[in-house]
């Protein structure tokens, strides 16, 4: 088995893609106006419109209704990501500014425009750095 992607369903694909492109520096590949993917070496974040839900099972996913999942991005400089997004209207809620966690990652927790929790982190201790060295 190969874990391929995480998909976010949204009422505004362009707005969410714009946010993630700005936050990650990764350009999205658009398949249609209802679906785009941001591909990195380790994972893909897919963003689909509410219209795509009916293709699977009508009503099975609702936009801006996630209260259990945190989307995480390993970044080279979490403080730089924070500076890049600090004055952005796309981020309405910084849940926690850059903070060094007990397990050795420096993390920034925020909500994307749909309210999904997003964690950007940089390993800063030798153990954490070793864990994420590829």
């Amino acid at each position: 088995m190969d874990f391929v992607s995480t998909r976010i369903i949204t009422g505004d694909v362009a707005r969410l893609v714009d946010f993630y492109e700005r936050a990650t520096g990764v350009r999205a590949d658009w398949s249609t106006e209802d679906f785009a993917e941001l591909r990195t070496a380790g994972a893909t974040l897919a963003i689909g419109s509410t219209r795509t839900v009916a293709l699977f099972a009508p009503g099975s996913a609702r936009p801006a209704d996630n209260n259990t999942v945190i989307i995480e991005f390993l970044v080279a400089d979490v403080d730089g990501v924070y500076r890049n997004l600090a004055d952005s209207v796309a981020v309405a809620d910084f849940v926690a500014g850059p903070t060094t966690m007990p397990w050795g990652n420096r993390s920034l927790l925020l909500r994307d425009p749909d309210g999904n929790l997003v964690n950007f982190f940089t390993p800063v201790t030798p153990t954490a750095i070793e864990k994420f060295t590829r």
Side-chain angles (χ1 to χ4, degrees):
M1 181 172 71
D2 190 12
F3 182 72
V4 177
S5 70
T6 297
R7 184 180 311 194
I8 300 173
I9 297 299
T10 182
D12 190 339
V13 176
R15 177 186 65 161
L16 213 53
V17 167
D18 182 62
F19 166 80
Y20 281 103
E21 284 181 334
R22 177 176 178 167
T24 65
V26 175
R27 300 294 299 166
D29 293 322
W30 288 82
S31 297
T32 70
E33 66 179 346
D34 289 319
F35 186 79
E37 294 176 308
L38 288 93
R39 293 186 186 101
T40 70
T44 296
L45 179 63
I47 300 173
S49 80
T50 53
R51 291 186 291 268
T52 65
V53 175
L55 300 172
F56 291 103
S60 62
R62 292 181 306 273
D65 196 30
N66 172 24
N67 292 300
T68 60
V69 174
I70 301 173
I71 301 162
E72 298 189 296
F73 293 93
L74 172 66
V75 297
D77 178 15
V78 73
D79 293 282
V81 171
Y82 178 70
R83 285 189 300 276
N84 180 43
L85 295 175
D87 61 352
S88 171
V89 296
V91 180
D93 186 8
F94 283 99
V95 177
T99 305
T100 301
M101 307 307 284
W103 47 87
N105 293 334
R106 187 154 174 81
S107 295
L108 167 65
L109 190 64
L110 56 87
R111 292 194 183 277
D112 73 13
D114 274 9
N116 299 301
L117 278 173
V118 182
N119 179 40
F120 293 96
F121 71 94
T122 302
V124 294
T125 65
T127 302
I129 291 168
E130 182 179 342
K131 178 180 177 182
F132 290 101
T133 299
R134 297 178 189 217

